Amino acid sequence: MKTYLVTGGAGFIGSNFVIYMLNKYNDVRIINIDSLTYAGNLENLKSVENNPNYEFIQVDICDKDAVNAIFEKNDIDYVVNFAAESHVDRSIENPEIFVQTNVLGTLTLLCAAKKAWSVGDDVYKDGVKYLQVSTDEVYGSLGPDGYFLETTPLDPHSPYSSSKASADLVVKAYFDTYKFPMNITRCSNNYGPFQFPEKLIPLMINNALSHKDLPIYGDGMQIRDWLFVEDHCKAIDMVIRDGKLGEVYNVGGHNERPNVKIVETIIDYIENNVDDSVGSHLIKYVEDRKGHDRRYGIAPDKIKKDLGWYPETTFEVGIQKTIKWYLDNRDWMQNVTSGEYQKYYEKMYSKK
Ligand code: NAD
Ligand code: TYD
């Protein structure tokens, strides 16, 4: 039985990963550590909370003593680091916490794992691995042509993406300097259940259902490359099992869409299936995001060729599943949009 230390497992992708792994395998043990920021929600994990192979511990990844204690008490085989501040708009307002969690938190995990796994000078226990969950945003912005390859130079623009790029470089330094067993995955934009409604897709679904404005930044022609979250979870599972040590793997399904098309798809679904008073009159073009990246597009050739990964869910199927999930889980949406969210939303959108 392999033991996974999953960090940030109460957030969007982390909770999907914990559920994916426990549903797929009987012989994995998962310890989920999460500090439960505004983005962490144990309600996401209700379906697995009583699973004997699952344990939750509230821990900040920057807390060295607490992280070391977890490695001392448990025989950890793999670390999967999802824990992060993840929202670009928040990083523009308050960059400091992004460097704190995303860079220093990553370093804390690396130090603890290195200490626990070392069996000699730059020699580690058999089969252990640290996986850093990174993002395509570290590559910066593309023009109309071409794709991000693993060899594309890092050129991040936002405080969020620069903190993720910094973390990637620290992880790489651990491999180059100490032969520390690691991989990095760089995935495109995810969508699916349990995504916090500060991000484009759940925000638009929530606003449309409550007849609020649908705020599109700038001209709405920025392009993101969307991947259903389960396909990202599958990629992470495969990289942990079969990824060659020291390698970076890009993850994406060639699903590029301009933001305005995403919003129109959501409006059409809700108008035709839920509430015909929802329509494109709700769209409001607002001030653009500072430093807004124009286009992201991942070339996933390496993970396809080397590990046999491919995305299983088309955008047409995935977006319908996602909208239905939010419709069926309105209590979840209500819970996460009460409290801190209201203040955030008013601050973010009242000035636009
Ligand atoms: P999220 O914001 O939904 O969740 C982040 C989780 O980390 C939350 O549960 C939060 O409580 C926890 N956390 C934050 N600071 C912490 C700390 N100091 N200690 C412990 N836990 C802490 O984020 P997400 O969208 O699920 O993203 C997860 C990871 O995937 C991030 O590293 C992000 O950079 C990366 N990523 C996200 C996307 C995307 O489209 N969402 C795409 C590619 C990569
Ligand atoms: P987001 O979901 O924040 O992800 P990221 O910035 O990490 O790609 O935003 C996706 C795209 O949608 C991005 O180009 C910004 C845009 N956007 C809007 O136009 N309006 C919004 O209210 C939000 C949250 C995002």
Side-chain angles (χ1 to χ4, degrees), residues 86-89 137 160 189 195 198-201 203-204 215-217 222 224 226 259 289 292-293 296 349:
S86 68
H87 190 37
V88 173
D89 292 326
E137 302 193 27
Y160 162 67
N189 284 64
Q195 187 167 30
E198 63 188 352
K199 306 280 167 57
L200 181 73
I201 289 179
L203 184 137
M204 294 299 165
I216 294 185
Y217 300 166
Q222 301 82 6
R224 297 293 181 264
W226 295 94
N259 294 337
R289 175 186 277 173
H292 201 168
D293 287 337
Y296 301 145
Y349 293 96

Side-chain angles (χ1 to χ4, degrees), residues 270-334:
I270 295 180
E271 187 179 2
N272 293 322
N273 297 283
V274 187
D275 178 352
D276 63 10
S277 68
V278 167
S280 50
H281 61 280
L282 290 175
I283 290 180
K284 185 176 171 202
Y285 285 90
V286 299
E287 185 190 323
D288 208 353
R289 175 186 277 173
K290 286 183 203 291
H292 201 168
D293 287 337
R294 195 70 184 164
R295 176 176 163 241
Y296 301 145
I298 278 279
D301 307 51
K302 178 173 168 181
I303 191 168
K304 284 185 164 175
K305 182 168 165 287
D306 292 1
L307 304 185
W309 176 86
Y310 61 92
E312 288 179 30
T313 303
T314 61
F315 185 75
E316 289 66 28
V317 170
I319 193 70
Q320 290 211 12
K321 266 194 189 176
T322 301
I323 299 171
K324 280 189 193 142
W325 187 87
Y326 287 99
L327 288 168
D328 292 345
N329 290 276
R330 292 197 198 204
D331 287 355
W332 181 93
M333 188 61 99
Q334 188 130 32

